Amino acid sequence: MRKIKPRILSGFVELLPKEQLFFNQMIDTIRVVFERFGFTPIETPSLELSEVLLAKGGGETEQQVYRFSKGKNDLVLRFDLTIPLARYVAQHYAELTFPFRRYQIQKVWRAERPQRGRFREFYQCDIDVIGSVNPLVDAEISSVTYAVFKALGFDEFTVRINNRKILNGFLESLRLGDQITEILRAIDKLEKQGEEAVRKELESLGVSKNQIEALMRFTGTKGTPEAILEQLKTSGIHNAVFTKGVEELETVVGAIRMFGVPSSNYGVDLAVARGFDYYTGTVYETRLEDFPEIGSVCSGGRYDNLAGYYTDKNLPGVGISIGLTRLFYKLKDGGLIKPERATPSEVLVTHLNQRFLKRCLEVATILRENGINTEVYFETDRISKQLRYANLLKIPFVCIIGEEEVRQDKVTIKEMTSGKEEIVSITEAIQKITGKRKGG
Amino acid sequence: MRKIKPRILSGFVELLPKEQLFFNQMIDTIRVVFERFGFTPIETPSLELSEVLLAKGGGETEQQVYRFSKGKNDLVLRFDLTIPLARYVAQHYAELTFPFRRYQIQKVWRAERPQRGRFREFYQCDIDVIGSVNPLVDAEISSVTYAVFKALGFDEFTVRINNRKILNGFLESLRLGDQITEILRAIDKLEKQGEEAVRKELESLGVSKNQIEALMRFTGTKGTPEAILEQLKTSGIHNAVFTKGVEELETVVGAIRMFGVPSSNYGVDLAVARGFDYYTGTVYETRLEDFPEIGSVCSGGRYDNLAGYYTDKNLPGVGISIGLTRLFYKLKDGGLIKPERATPSEVLVTHLNQRFLKRCLEVATILRENGINTEVYFETDRISKQLRYANLLKIPFVCIIGEEEVRQDKVTIKEMTSGKEEIVSITEAIQKITGKRKGG
């Protein structure tokens, strides 16, 4: 038979078991934190009507989606989790309780030109709170972000906060109020492309040398949140939008302190702009300080009205998104994570002879009843081959059943990293395995 | 602004928060059981090259898929988890350890004509063991199925087992050996369409009245596994395939007993055929005895060679699949499950006055550190409105902070179902909340 070469499309992701296990642990960690703060999960369909999902229109989005016809329907694969959320809230409005706190961990698809670090299918992990304009919610979002990255094992990271109104007001004060979207899109590239490139882009937008200087000085403001707020208040800029933005930022920063986020893990950064034009208040980016080259790992902001395309109901909200697939690959490629175990099994039950298999199954049942992930080696191989299998999969314990173990109603438990083995009761074996687990 | 009606495509699924929470708990339960038996998770891309996924060709499949072109690529959305598994194993062969025990819980898409109970996007939960011909593995698969449905809260269900070789051998003995696929597809419909319809279909295939009688008698054989095996052995059918099948079935049934599956939860059913032609040995279906109208909730079987389209490597295996979306809807529509809680929050921290919010946040942090899903009510509403919010979401506990609570360094904890409240230390509050959780 002619064989077809087994392969996947470039830009799509497929993980080996040990990587997948690690990735799933990251998802679980994020999910536990989201639920710890009372966010509730939803899922939306992968395919929606183009008319609905692309309601906003706009060139860039339409280029980057998987869109096709099936029967009479013009369909598109979900390309983010924000627009489906807007549609969900508008559609199910009467059945939801507000403020609506939802999390959503699903894949999205973008028909990007494939290149390193760009994915065509990737996980987004989003939280949003819809239906509240309370700045405590903005602060809580930072607090959830802090809790997520702590739980993922990071220490040196900063949730960087800004407020769109400050940027808008500042641009107005420079008489650049009619080019806000384009200028913020340029500012948003400061981190990735560097100051030189952004200066050139601003020049091409017709921004003057003096205005560019002022912008660079402003977005480059350094200091503690308190110091930056003080500078903003004494900046001599008096337009209403700016003043409102400073006020909001001050409230949010004060509240973040109240949430117990350590001052080393958050800061005000006036260069945080975010590209999307629907943000109207607080905006966030989070940086891993030891790996600035990764860029923002968690971004978002506040919007005045989420679902204007679908409903007359006013739906203000605030949210963030973690691009998990990208984060995983960056950490993996940087050697920062080294997935090892290729199975959730904590113990492999092996036998010195096929005739002990029945006992192996009994032992496995007891271990499983005690919450231990347990695999039984079924094949009639020598014990050395059975141990090699455990080694390949990096199963931490092997349980060996032979003549002596059956006679004594015990098991031999072997810790694979140390090679240490001893004959113990099943109860002791359970303690050894779960004890190790707790110890890390 | 013109509004676009927020809606989803028919045949696609979207759950309300309380339903989604319930659904996710079902997935978690299944996942825990799969991992308890040492199955390892993988995920495959949603989109693959049509050339690869549709390698097998075949009319019905091609009609029922979402297939489209993007750039130079002819793409198709994953329509099951078995073919992607075959591709995965062939592609990553050198990096996998065999027997390869994988589970996969992902959505699949089928371009079905929409009708009640037919979904165009639904979850499949699959396990397969690749690279072993050991009948103990067939038995273990039944044992995992048993454990899954027990964990999902069912008692009255039967894992029904048969062997394709028995059916094939029997058909050969009736001189129907050259129509096996068509006849088995007809037999597979016995449950759903009833005997009359199947008789008609068999007639239209040219099967004689006598042959149909024999077939109906055979597939209708009732009794304990032992009794049915005895009947098979004394049936006077002597062709090699039949004998091999009986032998295999006997071994598997014996092993299932060894795995500790209660005799009330498994049985031999000679009518279990399965439609797919790649099954070559054990075949499974699982029925919820109290709800026979649901049909099989977990089906699968053994195949001699999984990935013949992609590799010369011989890859025998065995697996099952749970169509979770369908099961969920059948249980929901039948009133068998009644999702209530619309949030993972176990407690809502409320305040008698905004000035206690700081204390609310402190209390929330302590509760979260103790593993309790905790939400804080931020808005400046009266306590009655705060309690109503908890009631709407069915949050089991409310923690109230006021003057007295702050003075005493305590909290008032209110159990929402009983309405009982008392002022206690935070430690006691934690015990109350987690104690309730454990008690169900």
Side-chain angles (χ1 to χ4, degrees), chain A residues 3 28 31 46 87 121 308, chain B residues 14 28 31 46 121 308:
Chain A
K3 304 296 174 192
D28 285 344
R31 195 183 136 183
S46 308
R87 198 261 312 136
E121 176 179 52
Chain B
E14 187 160 87
D28 284 344
R31 194 182 135 184
S46 308
E121 177 179 51

Side-chain angles (χ1 to χ4, degrees), chain A residues 1-9 12-17 20-21 24 28 31-32 35-49 51-52 55 63 65-68 70 73 75 77 87-88 90-92 95-101 103 106-107 109 111 120-121 123 132 134 136-137 140 255 258-259 308-312 342-345 354 357-358 361 365 368 371-376 378-379 389 392-393, chain B residues 1-9 12-17 20-21 24 28 31-32 35-49 51-52 55 63 65-68 70 73 75 77 87-88 90-92 95-101 103 106-107 109 111 120-121 123 132 134 136-137 140 255 258-259 308-312 342-345 354 357-358 361 365 368 371-376 378-379 389 392-393:
Chain A
M1 195 167 91
R2 193 178 79 87
K3 304 296 174 192
I4 287 162
K5 190 185 171 210
R7 63 201 192 278
I8 61 170
L9 284 155
F12 283 72
V13 167
E14 186 162 87
L15 302 177
L16 289 172
Q20 188 75 55
L21 262 178
N24 288 9
D28 285 344
R31 195 183 136 183
V32 164
E35 298 199 349
R36 197 67 89 232
F37 281 80
F39 287 85
T40 197
I42 69 162
E43 294 198 349
T44 61
S46 308
L47 277 176
E48 299 213 25
L49 288 165
E51 184 199 351
V52 174
Q63 295 306 309
V65 298
Y66 286 100
R67 180 177 181 172
F68 62 96
K70 182 86 193 174
N73 291 322
L75 305 173
L77 278 164
R87 198 261 312 136
Y88 184 97
Q91 183 174 338
H92 305 293
E95 292 157 295
L96 300 177
T97 304
F98 293 90
F100 179 52
R101 304 160 66 80
Y103 77 87
Q106 286 196 282
K107 285 180 174 168
W109 295 269
R120 288 168 158 182
E121 176 179 52
Y123 270 101
S132 169
N134 194 325
L136 282 172
V137 180
E140 189 190 43
M258 221 161 72
F259 273 88
Y309 296 102
Y310 307 118
T311 175
D312 285 325
T343 169
S345 296
Q354 275 285 106
L357 262 173
K358 189 166 190 313
L361 294 177
T365 301
R368 287 184 190 125
I372 295 169
N373 295 340
T374 306
E375 189 174 334
V376 178
F378 292 134
E379 313 297 318
Y389 174 83
L392 281 169
L393 295 179
Chain B
M1 194 167 87
R2 193 179 78 87
K3 305 294 175 194
I4 287 161
K5 189 183 172 214
R7 62 201 193 278
I8 60 170
L9 285 155
F12 283 72
V13 167
E14 187 160 87
L15 302 177
L16 289 171
Q20 188 75 55
L21 262 178
N24 288 7
D28 284 344
R31 194 182 135 184
V32 164
E35 296 200 350
R36 198 66 89 233
F37 282 80
F39 286 85
T40 196
I42 69 163
E43 294 197 350
T44 61
S46 308
L47 278 175
E48 299 213 24
L49 288 165
E51 185 199 349
V52 173
Q63 294 307 309
V65 298
Y66 286 101
R67 180 178 179 172
F68 62 96
K70 182 83 193 175
N73 290 324
L75 305 174
L77 278 164
R87 198 263 311 138
Y88 183 97
Q91 182 173 340
H92 305 293
E95 293 157 295
L96 301 176
T97 304
F98 293 90
F100 178 54
R101 304 160 66 81
Y103 77 87
Q106 288 196 282
K107 285 180 173 165
W109 295 269
R120 289 167 159 182
E121 177 179 51
Y123 270 100
S132 169
N134 195 324
L136 282 172
V137 179
E140 189 190 43
M258 221 160 72
F259 273 88
Y309 296 102
Y310 307 120
T311 175
D312 284 323
T343 168
S345 296
Q354 274 284 109
L357 262 173
K358 188 167 190 311
L361 294 178
T365 301
R368 287 184 189 124
I372 294 169
N373 294 340
T374 307
E375 189 174 334
V376 178
F378 292 134
E379 314 298 317
Y389 174 82
L392 281 169
L393 295 180

Side-chain angles (χ1 to χ4, degrees), chain B residues 179-207:
Chain B
Q179 279 178 286
I180 287 176
T181 304
E182 299 86 329
I183 294 174
L184 291 188
R185 275 206 193 121
I187 295 294
D188 188 47
K189 295 172 189 159
L190 265 171
E191 203 99 60
K192 247 186 245 166
Q193 308 189 352
E195 198 176 310
E196 228 26 69
V198 173
R199 276 177 189 271
K200 277 205 188 105
E201 183 167 342
L202 289 170
E203 272 171 39
S204 76
L205 290 171
V207 183

